[in-house]
Amino acid sequence: MAEHRADTQRPHGAIGGDAIAARVVVVGRTGHDGRLRLDPAIELIRVRTGFDAIGELANPVGMVPGRTVVIVGGGADIDERNGGDGAFVSAVRRVASEAVVLRASEIGANSPE
C-alpha cells in the first residue's frame, strides 16, 4: 500500500509547487497582460465586461488565493447605465470584500509619438 504524504502534494492551483499568491482579473485591454502572465504566482483571468469580472469573482474555480486584484482597462465595458465605476467597485466588494480595484490605460496609449 502506498504511503500518502500530504506535505509532498501540490496544492490546487500551484505551478511548479508554489501556491498561487494572487488572482488578477483584467477587464478589457490594459497592455499589462503579457507581464502579468510571466509571474507564476499570479492566476490571470481576462474578461471583456464588468459583469464577466463579477461572475469570475463570485464563482471561482479552485481555491481562492489570499489576494484578489481587478484591473479595469481603458474603454472597458463598465455599464454607465447601472452606476458606472462606483457601482462596479461596490459590486466587486460585495462578492470579494478583500479585492483591490485599479483603473489602467493601455501602455503607450497616451504617449506622444
Side-chain angles (χ1 to χ4, degrees), residues 29-42:
R29 296 183 187 274
T30 66
H32 299 287
D33 304 15
R35 278 189 261 158
L36 292 170
R37 246 186 239 110
L38 295 175
D39 189 337
I42 292 177

Side-chain angles (χ1 to χ4, degrees), residues 7 10 25 27 32 41 48 50 53 61 63 65 77 82 98 104 110:
D7 61 322
R10 261 207 232 173
V25 179
V27 184
H32 299 287
R48 291 179 187 256
V61 175
M63 293 175 35
D77 184 9
N82 292 320
E98 79 290 350
N110 296 322

Side-chain angles (χ1 to χ4, degrees), residues 12-63:
H12 180 75
I15 297 174
D18 296 326
I20 300 296
R23 175 175 49 163
V24 178
V25 179
V26 177
V27 184
R29 296 183 187 274
T30 66
H32 299 287
D33 304 15
R35 278 189 261 158
L36 292 170
R37 246 186 239 110
L38 295 175
D39 189 337
I42 292 177
E43 174 189 11
L44 181 64
I45 302 165
R46 289 193 63 221
V47 297
R48 291 179 187 256
T49 69
F51 288 118
D52 293 335
I54 300 297
E56 288 289 343
L57 295 171
N59 298 304
V61 175
M63 293 175 35

